[in-house]
Amino acid sequence: QVELAESGGGLVHAGGSLRLSCVFFGNIVGIVDMGWYRQAPGNEREFVATLTTDGRSTYEDSVKGRFTISRDNAKNTLTLQMNSLRPEDTAVYYCNARQVRLGVFNYWGQGTQVTVSS
């Protein structure tokens, strides 16, 4: 079982920045990638960014050049640095971990609200 706990959301004006953190703990052996997803009211949960354990990152097109995903293994923390925020970035952001261990398992945090005012 992998547990995830996000923090760092809040209210920011358009053009501002926020830094989201996700601490992961528990039985973390076998995690192959971690990422961030978001869900706006009335919308499906959507992919934002992922980072594999060998360092490859992938971003959704609208956040490329503005968001940066990183991981600190010593602190068991996944981070999403968000710059040049836009009102359309407003959503609940979720941390995800995908584990391959006698099967494939997806784990989710509880989410953190990000609100960008225009």
Side-chain angles (χ1 to χ4, degrees):
Q1 181 82 9
V2 177
E3 297 191 48
L4 308 168
E6 303 103 332
S7 62
L11 172 64
V12 65
H13 291 299
S17 297
L18 282 174
R19 186 178 181 90
L20 305 184
S21 295
C22 171
V23 177
F24 53 95
F25 51 96
N27 192 349
I28 63 173
V29 173
I31 290 178
V32 295
D33 58 51
M34 296 189 69
W36 291 95
Y37 291 71
R38 65 187 179 187
Q39 187 168 16
N43 290 355
E44 299 287 323
R45 189 172 299 188
E46 65 177 13
F47 157 78
V48 176
T50 58
L51 180 65
T52 64
T53 51
D54 60 357
R56 288 176 288 120
S57 59
T58 306
Y59 296 93
E60 191 271 329
D61 285 347
S62 72
V63 308
K64 285 179 182 177
R66 300 188 298 123
F67 291 10
T68 302
I69 189 170
S70 61
R71 175 173 167 173
D72 185 337
N73 289 325
K75 297 181 179 179
N76 280 9
T77 300
L78 182 75
T79 299
L80 185 69
Q81 177 66 44
M82 306 186 294
N83 299 327
S84 302
L85 282 161
R86 306 168 180 168
E88 54 264 38
D89 295 318
T90 295
V92 177
Y93 283 69
Y94 296 90
C95 179
N96 168 266
R98 190 166 67 96
Q99 184 183 51
V100 178
R101 186 179 174 90
L102 300 178
V104 181
F105 301 93
N106 269 292
Y107 298 97
W108 297 93
Q110 81 285 356
T112 186
Q113 176 70 47
V114 171
T115 303
V116 185
S117 63
S118 57

